[in-house]
Amino acid sequence: MSSPRNRSFTLAATGDSILTRSVVAREGDPRFDAILDRLRDADAALTNLEAVVTDGSSYATPPQAIRDQYQYLAAFPGMVLRCPPALLDELTAMGIDLVSAASNHSRDFGRRGMRSTMRELEDRSIPYAGLGRDLPAARAPAYETTPGGRVGLVSACASVAPESEAGPPSSLLPGRPGISPLHVNWTYRVTDERFDQIREIGRAVGIDDVRDTWIERRDSADGGDGGSGGDGGSGGDGGDDGDDEDDGTDTYHCVHMAFEAVDDERDEGISHSLHPPDREEVLAGVREANATADWTVLSLHAHQGPAGTRNVPETPAMVESFARDCIDAGADAVVGTGPHVLRGIEVYDGRPIFYSLGNFFCQFETLDRLPAETFDYFDVEDDRYPSRVFDARYYEDGEPTGNLAYPEYWHTVVATCEFGGDGRVERIELLPCSLGRTAARPDRGTPIRADEAETETILDRLAELSAPYGTTIDREDGVGLVELA
């Protein structure tokens, strides 16, 4: 913090807002109003907008159905997420006044959709971070003046869809709009014996020739490890094409896959690391916000789980380490989103880290405009009826399947953090919410305060996930209370 604080501050943090239909009629329902009270009573309330704000006139740009490991998130064209502009007014009426706009869905309607999202947010004077007209703008903090002081928000996305990251300007050309990327490098660790086998296969089938003539890699000084982008997009270009002996490691690049030799079978597996230049740029944004605001929040959207998994409750080590680095750089809170499920809570140096708050709104099933690729993938012949896509995606023989059969996907909390003048968090309250997994389709995906049974389930699960961080969660009147040292 650049100067002593002379006031307290309250932050209300929520997960991903996949908001596609009006919720204003819900006001007056006590279980919905309980959420509104939390948001409106806070000095600042934050959500991650995982949708493109557009009137629907822009063409969609879904990921292509490339069935190999380099598909950035999934091997089928996912849902393109559109938020009608008027719904931003409903978000602000609910009490949301800070928006993270960096996600893997930010490019669902191309650059035109990105511009539309920025324009609609700016027309309403809603501070947003993580999305910009060029890379410096996407990296830059957004600011909001609140009763508790000036708040700086920095946002980044580690699940980078192809062509979604912003680009820097040059002296000859303007930059391109996009998100603030935090690329992830993959390294595949195998024993010496398997390493030699992979290298021999590469030579035998001509992969080395392809690599040497087709794939250009920069020197490792750029900080990358040469790993595939995977969930993190294009990844780093570091390393050379053969064995890397300069840093004492033995690395072999089999096309886009970076293999590293290890001595012990117990060390085999997939290793993630953040692309160092991206990491340093995001941390620089945190330091800038810390220097010019009373309070700083870092929002990170990351689908990655440990060992190459995704959308799981466990948090990968690279995210844990980066979150702590953000606190060390001056962040007062780190708020994670992306995996669509809750993850653990850590209190590090007196500041909260929410590794994932899951879904706040999850209104997939009433999307009314989908691209042809989505209908084709789900074998829906008539593209006039989007509901048939969701019937195919979420039901099998009349029974729920996929995310609809996964209760944790429909649970979240609104986290309210009260900070003292010394900058340390003094109280963290967790309001358990249900998104109505068993509700009818028009109601499913909108949060309400959880009933007693779901409250116990949510808090029990969150306590289990938080225990490895030394975090204990108590209960008081149906609200979780994080025990602070």
Side-chain angles (χ1 to χ4, degrees):
M1 183 62 207
S2 57
S3 60
R5 309 174 212 220
N6 56 9
R7 68 190 89 185
S8 60
F9 171 68
T10 303
L11 171 71
T14 68
D16 286 313
S17 282
I18 303 170
L19 185 64
T20 67
R21 62 178 184 269
S22 175
V23 296
V24 66
R26 284 296 189 100
E27 190 162 1
D29 177 345
R31 295 173 67 187
F32 187 66
D33 289 351
I35 297 171
L36 303 186
D37 290 344
R38 297 267 164 171
L39 302 179
R40 292 169 177 171
D41 289 347
D43 292 315
L46 166 70
T47 198
N48 184 73
L49 182 63
E50 193 170 14
V52 177
V53 184
T54 175
D55 61 8
S57 61
S58 300
Y59 55 81
T61 54
Q64 298 300 305
I66 303 171
R67 295 182 180 277
D68 65 26
Q69 71 184 63
Y70 303 111
Q71 181 70 16
Y72 81 104
L73 279 178
F76 65 88
M79 301 295 115
V80 292
L81 304 182
R82 183 181 75 91
C83 174
L87 298 188
L88 289 181
D89 299 318
E90 297 197 17
L91 270 182
T92 57
M94 291 175 62
I96 295 293
D97 41 29
L98 283 168
V99 168
S100 168
S103 83
N104 52 295
H105 283 279
S106 297
R107 68 168 292 281
D108 279 1
F109 289 86
R111 310 280 179 189
R112 183 176 175 183
M114 292 176 174
R115 295 189 187 97
S116 173
T117 299
M118 292 184 282
R119 182 177 62 251
E120 297 293 347
L121 288 164
E122 291 164 2
D123 285 349
R124 293 163 174 80
S125 299
I126 301 173
Y128 67 92
L131 180 68
R133 288 174 174 80
D134 57 23
L135 184 58
R139 297 286 199 207
Y143 297 98
E144 173 75 343
T145 300
T146 78
R150 192 178 195 225
V151 184
L153 172 66
V154 179
S155 175
C157 178
S159 297
V160 185
E163 301 181 7
S164 67
E165 61 259 55
S170 74
S171 61
L172 301 175
L173 287 172
R176 64 180 180 273
I179 64 171
S180 170
L182 189 60
H183 286 108
V184 176
N185 300 325
W186 289 48
T187 302
Y188 299 83
R189 294 175 172 169
V190 295
T191 59
D192 288 332
E193 180 181 0
R194 294 188 177 104
F195 182 85
D196 291 340
Q197 291 172 345
I198 292 167
R199 186 161 51 187
E200 182 58 34
I201 290 170
R203 291 170 179 164
V205 303
I207 289 175
D208 289 1
D209 295 333
V210 172
R211 183 197 62 219
D212 293 341
T213 62
W214 195 262
I215 300 172
E216 179 181 350
R217 297 185 184 276
R218 303 177 204 166
D219 186 81
S220 59
D222 76 349
D225 67 1
S228 155
D231 279 357
S234 57
D237 288 330
D240 56 30
D241 289 334
D243 299 342
D244 185 353
E245 298 176 353
D246 294 338
D247 61 1
T249 62
D250 200 6
T251 303
Y252 174 72
H253 292 96
C254 186
V255 192
H256 294 286
M257 300 174 69
F259 286 90
E260 181 180 292
V262 295
D263 295 328
D264 195 321
E265 283 189 5
R266 291 172 295 184
D267 295 326
E268 288 188 310
I270 298 172
S271 173
H272 285 152
S273 62
L274 296 177
H275 189 48
D278 287 344
R279 175 185 173 278
E280 291 307 314
E281 285 294 314
V282 177
L283 289 175
V286 172
R287 295 186 188 101
E288 174 65 16
N290 180 54
T292 56
D294 296 295
W295 308 95
T296 301
V297 181
L298 183 283
S299 175
L300 176 63
H301 190 81
H303 285 262
Q304 290 90 345
T309 59
R310 69 182 183 96
N311 294 351
V312 295
E314 294 76 27
T315 304
M318 66 168 183
V319 171
E320 295 171 338
S321 176
F322 181 68
R324 295 164 192 154
D325 289 342
C326 288
I327 299 292
D328 291 338
D332 296 289
V334 174
V335 180
T337 62
H340 301 296
V341 292
L342 289 168
R343 284 178 172 170
I345 299 170
E346 180 176 9
V347 180
Y348 174 77
D349 194 23
R351 278 79 175 173
I353 300 173
F354 303 98
Y355 285 111
S356 173
L357 291 177
N359 297 313
F360 184 44
F361 284 94
C362 189
Q363 298 175 340
F364 277 107
E365 294 177 87
T366 48
L367 287 166
D368 58 0
R369 302 187 187 191
L370 297 172
E373 292 92 334
T374 303
F375 289 94
D376 290 343
Y377 182 83
F378 288 102
D379 293 325
V380 176
E381 294 182 359
D382 196 328
D383 63 10
R384 296 174 297 171
Y385 305 110
S387 64
R388 297 180 184 177
V389 167
F390 300 107
D391 289 340
R393 182 177 182 183
Y394 290 121
Y395 292 93
E396 185 174 339
D397 298 327
E399 294 297 321
T401 189
N403 293 332
L404 196 54
Y406 186 32
E408 288 81 359
Y409 190 90
W410 306 91
H411 291 158
T412 189
V413 296
V414 175
T416 303
C417 306
E418 298 178 9
F419 294 87
D422 64 354
R424 300 174 72 86
V425 68
E426 296 180 342
R427 185 176 177 87
I428 303 174
E429 295 187 2
L430 309 170
L431 181 70
C433 302
S434 169
L435 275 66
R437 181 175 72 93
T438 60
R441 181 173 283 168
D443 295 323
R444 191 156 47 228
T446 299
I448 57 174
R449 183 170 185 170
D451 62 23
E452 184 175 350
E454 280 193 293
T455 289
E456 291 302 308
T457 297
I458 293 168
L459 293 180
D460 285 348
R461 181 61 172 145
L462 197 49
E464 178 184 351
L465 293 168
S466 302
Y469 304 109
T471 303
T472 300
I473 299 176
D474 299 323
R475 321 288 169 93
E476 183 178 293
D477 299 327
V479 174
L481 297 177
V482 175
E483 186 176 304
L484 302 174

